[in-house]
Amino acid sequence: MAVPIAQVGSLKLRAVSSSPFLVPAAVAHTRTLIDAQQLLEAYACLRELEQLQEETWAPLGGLELPVFEALGPLAEALGQAVEVAAGAAGQLAREDPALLVAAVRIAEVDAGYTPSLELTPRDWRQRCLQALQEGLERTHFGTPLLLEPGALKGWLEALRVALPAELATAEALVAPCCPPHYKVVQLWTHTLHHGLRRCLQQLLEGPELGASDAFTLLHWALHVYQGPEMMGSLELGPEADVSQLEPLLTLENIEQLEATFVAQIQANVAQWLQNALDGEVAEWNREQEPGTDSSGFYHSPMPAIVLQILEENIRVTSLVSESLQQRMHAMALSELGTFLRSFSDALIRFSRDHVRGEAMAPHYVPYLLATLNHQSALSSSVSVLQPDGVASGALAPVEAALDELQRRVCRLVLEALLAELQPLFTALPSRRWLSSPELLDDVCKRTERFCQDFRRVRNPAVQLLLAEAERTVVLQYLRALMQGRLVCRGADERTRAAERLQHDAAQLRELFLGLGLEESVQCAPVLLALRDLLNLRDPMLLGLEVAGLRQKFPDVSEDHVSALLDLRGDVSREQRLAALSSLQAGPQPSPPAGRRALFSLVPAPTPTLSSCLPSGPCA
């Protein structure tokens, strides 16, 4: 039978010397108590044995008896039992709080024990506190975090439930089992935080997270974890001391996650936008005309799809941080710029294939016109991609790309118009033109028929198209006049030519007014200025008329005026030189407000040297 510890504690040196088997029996009994988790009783036995060891040490002159060699391992076994109990504090507080209390009491009592022998301090209190922390971390973060893609969300959600429950257990059950200076709630809070932080650092050092996991982690760490359900809970109280916690994610971590998320989303967005463009381009060669909306305007869902893709990705990032949202704004604008360049390139290929006859589009011009509505839709809505509080300059590259797209589409439409009109202008001017309005009638009919589809284009693009179409017709008219195909053979023909210019200007004016173009932006009035030059009776006054023409159209050149004087057919060399000299008299006039260049876009035949001023371009 084991010797009662009280009996062992009352033994004297003489008794021990005469009965050396009592100490091993007491050691064995103590081990039995440890194994049975009767820690307080085991600690009492250990202390009595250690007291007995001290009482024998001095009389023997510091000689250590072999019988006491087992006390060191015995103490270590009890210390490990205390650590194990402390490491399972949360579970014991619910299932066996007495064992937890015993372990903590032993650690505290032993902290005040100073043995007389030269023994290494046990420091069980520190071991107990460390075991509390390590056990807590082991419970929640003990296994390496190896998550399948998309599984991070479930793990974080489990933590959202588990960590507050653990803190509630600490406050309600663990804290009453420990002395106040343990600050159990604070200890639990900080231990869980540091364990989670370390776990996330290890996660971020591993393989790169997917976009979804990166976003989930950012949102959870910055909002859920700090929110009222977790570390921001009022129930924690000041004892948790959460203000002293370092951020769960470092600035470098946040930068890494944001960059990962944006890069992967950018790749996805680029593919989505390319798919949207491919779908649109596939429509261009259809046998059917473009679809229209309820108002009769050409319509496609592509602009709405593009903006929805970009806007939704920006909007979702507002749930995380301003910095991530700004990154997404920049990404969205960059990808929209790339998309617009790809759109423009696709239009060039579409036009090239059609013009070359490699892939004739049955409704070539209507699909070009439809893209103007797409451009207008994007232009009117692109402001949603601008970050709040950021200067409008952030949109400048995209706005420039949209403007360039509009110009390119207009240019392709006008090239198609030119292809229809150029053959009609080869007979203008001519004597047939002098006697009949038929030539310009054909031009107007062809132009009106071509522009009928413009009504399916929304403002302001339709006004731009009409203005450019009218300007194109006028430029072709001027180009034809400058070719020198007609020289008037007398005053009668000059009068008829002047009347024809006046009639043609009025006919063009009525045509484009009927199509919806405002009169104030029309170019046809230039024909009236040329009419006055042809209608002048006295060639000696041509200098005044040329000077007036120069005031209205500063880009008119010597070659243009020479070609017009050739058309009159009655100007001598001296009169020509006098008229041309007026072009160089006085300062260069400024173009009238709102008037665009005309003559500088019209080539004129190179005049003979006799037609040039001594200081002119051909002198």
Side-chain angles (χ1 to χ4, degrees):
M1 292 180 62
V3 178
I5 193 61
Q7 178 183 346
V8 175
S10 63
L11 293 175
K12 302 297 183 183
L13 177 59
R14 179 180 51 78
V16 173
S17 300
S18 61
S19 304
F21 297 105
L22 292 179
V23 173
V27 170
H29 176 68
T30 305
R31 282 193 176 277
T32 300
L33 292 174
I34 294 172
D35 293 341
Q37 294 188 326
Q38 298 180 29
L39 303 187
L40 286 175
E41 294 85 346
Y43 182 67
C45 292
L46 175 64
R47 286 291 301 273
E48 290 175 0
L49 285 168
E50 289 175 340
Q51 183 181 356
L52 183 60
Q53 181 185 24
E54 291 174 8
E55 291 175 357
T56 64
W57 185 76
L60 294 177
L63 179 64
E64 195 69 58
L65 293 176
V67 74
F68 291 111
E69 290 179 353
L71 293 191
L74 184 66
E76 179 58 27
L78 181 57
Q80 290 178 0
V82 168
E83 285 186 87
V84 170
Q91 180 181 354
L92 291 180
R94 289 187 294 268
E95 300 174 1
D96 190 1
L99 180 57
L100 176 59
V101 170
V104 172
R105 285 183 61 187
I106 289 172
E108 288 299 300
V109 170
D110 197 69
Y113 168 57
T114 305
S116 59
L117 298 177
E118 295 179 359
L119 300 175
T120 302
R122 289 195 280 256
D123 201 8
W124 284 357
R125 174 191 285 170
Q126 185 59 37
R127 290 175 64 177
C128 181
L129 288 171
Q130 186 173 348
L132 285 171
Q133 294 173 286
E134 291 177 352
L136 189 57
E137 283 198 26
R138 188 165 52 250
T139 299
H140 296 284
F141 314 111
T143 56
L145 189 58
L146 299 174
L147 298 174
E148 295 295 325
L152 181 62
K153 183 176 182 180
W155 182 73
L156 294 175
E157 176 60 20
L159 286 180
R160 185 190 65 80
V161 176
L163 297 191
E166 189 69 64
L167 291 173
T169 298
E171 183 177 23
L173 301 177
V174 180
C177 298
C178 302
H181 64 265
Y182 273 43
K183 297 182 179 179
V184 168
V185 176
Q186 178 181 325
L187 178 67
W188 248 240
T189 301
H190 287 232
T191 299
L192 290 172
H193 176 80
H194 291 305
L196 176 58
R197 194 171 189 269
R198 184 163 51 253
C199 189
L200 293 181
Q201 294 299 320
Q202 293 171 352
L203 175 67
L204 294 177
E205 290 169 1
E208 184 176 75
L209 296 179
S212 177
D213 283 344
F215 179 86
T216 297
L217 181 53
L218 279 169
H219 179 259
W220 192 89
L222 298 179
H223 298 280
V224 177
Y225 184 71
Q226 296 178 353
E229 294 185 358
M230 296 191 73
M231 293 308 181
S233 173
L234 296 176
E235 295 180 359
L236 284 177
E239 61 271 20
D241 198 17
V242 293
S243 63
Q244 299 302 313
L245 298 176
E246 56 188 337
L248 193 60
L249 297 176
T250 66
L251 293 177
E252 291 77 10
N253 295 152
I254 294 174
E255 165 72 21
Q256 173 189 347
L257 288 168
E258 288 186 354
T260 295
F261 176 76
V262 172
Q264 295 188 27
I265 290 299
Q266 184 166 10
N268 293 339
V269 165
Q271 186 59 56
W272 295 333
L273 294 183
Q274 185 61 49
N275 292 342
L277 178 57
D278 292 343
E280 183 67 21
V281 171
E283 300 283 306
W284 293 349
N285 287 302
R286 292 196 315 165
E287 295 292 334
Q288 296 83 17
E289 287 192 354
T292 58
D293 60 15
S294 58
S295 301
F297 295 112
Y298 289 135
H299 173 76
S300 163
M302 185 197 67
I305 292 172
V306 169
L307 288 171
Q308 182 180 8
I309 289 172
L310 298 175
E311 187 181 4
E312 284 184 354
N313 281 284
I314 290 174
R315 186 170 59 249
V316 75
T317 56
S318 66
L319 301 173
V320 174
S321 67
E322 183 178 349
S323 64
L324 182 59
Q325 191 172 22
Q326 289 177 350
R327 283 173 179 261
M328 288 299 291
H329 274 291
M331 183 278 289
L333 292 174
S334 172
E335 285 305 313
L336 180 56
T338 300
F339 170 80
L340 292 173
R341 289 189 291 274
S342 298
F343 193 6
S344 186
D345 293 342
L347 281 171
I348 292 176
R349 292 191 296 271
F350 173 58
S351 175
R352 180 196 61 202
D353 293 346
H354 176 78
V355 172
R356 292 178 179 177
E358 297 176 4
M360 294 291 291
H363 300 283
Y364 173 68
V365 172
Y367 276 103
L368 289 178
L369 296 175
T371 62
L372 282 176
N373 283 344
H374 306 342
Q375 185 272 346
S376 296
L378 290 170
S379 294
S380 63
S381 304
V382 73
S383 59
V384 301
L385 305 181
Q386 180 176 330
D388 293 337
V390 176
S392 58
L395 294 179
V398 169
E399 291 172 339
L402 285 166
D403 290 343
E404 175 58 28
L405 175 62
Q406 184 184 67
R407 285 192 294 271
R408 177 159 290 176
V409 176
C410 286
R411 188 160 56 247
L412 294 176
V413 171
L414 296 176
E415 287 173 358
L417 175 61
L418 269 177
E420 294 200 21
L421 296 183
Q422 279 178 335
L424 302 180
F425 279 102
T426 56
L428 188 154
S430 62
R431 284 183 169 72
R432 180 186 169 199
W433 167 72
L434 287 177
S435 59
S436 170
E438 180 181 343
L439 292 179
L440 194 70
D441 286 346
D442 290 343
V443 169
C444 289
K445 289 176 182 177
R446 188 76 61 87
T447 301
E448 183 176 21
R449 185 169 62 250
F450 185 93
C451 294
Q452 280 303 312
D453 285 333
F454 288 9
R455 71 186 188 278
R456 300 190 184 277
V457 178
R458 291 184 177 274
N459 271 321
V462 65
Q463 283 297 312
L464 173 64
L465 266 179
L466 287 170
E468 291 299 325
E470 193 258 359
R471 187 164 177 261
T472 298
V473 172
V474 172
L475 284 172
Q476 283 300 112
Y477 195 108
L478 292 176
R479 183 187 293 263
L481 282 180
M482 299 296 166
Q483 296 307 307
R485 289 194 288 259
L486 174 68
V487 176
C488 294
R489 294 181 295 196
D492 179 60
E493 285 193 355
R494 282 192 295 276
T495 298
R496 287 160 57 193
E499 290 174 348
R500 177 56 51 209
L501 286 172
Q502 182 172 354
H503 177 273
D504 290 352
Q507 191 170 356
L508 290 174
R509 171 182 173 276
E510 292 303 319
L511 167 65
F512 283 97
L513 281 177
L515 290 172
L517 180 63
E518 298 176 2
E519 186 174 5
S520 61
V521 299
Q522 293 189 17
C523 300
V526 67
L527 302 184
L528 300 179
L530 304 185
R531 175 208 60 184
D532 294 341
L533 189 64
L534 288 177
N535 210 27
L536 187 66
R537 299 288 182 179
D538 186 356
M540 299 298 293
L541 300 178
L542 282 173
L544 292 176
E545 204 63 53
V546 169
L549 180 65
R550 176 175 176 256
Q551 287 296 321
K552 295 177 183 178
F553 304 97
D555 62 328
V556 69
S557 71
E558 177 184 321
D559 291 346
H560 294 122
V561 173
S562 290
L564 291 170
L565 296 180
D566 287 342
L567 178 61
R568 280 184 59 94
D570 65 339
V571 181
S572 67
R573 184 174 184 276
E574 291 74 16
Q575 291 169 339
R576 180 188 300 272
L577 292 175
L580 293 176
S581 65
S582 65
L583 289 174
Q584 300 181 1
Q588 178 71 20
S590 300
R595 179 168 291 174
R596 296 171 60 189
L598 283 174
F599 286 97
S600 59
L601 300 177
V602 177
T606 303
T608 61
L609 291 180
S610 62
S611 301
C612 296
L613 290 173
S615 58
C618 58

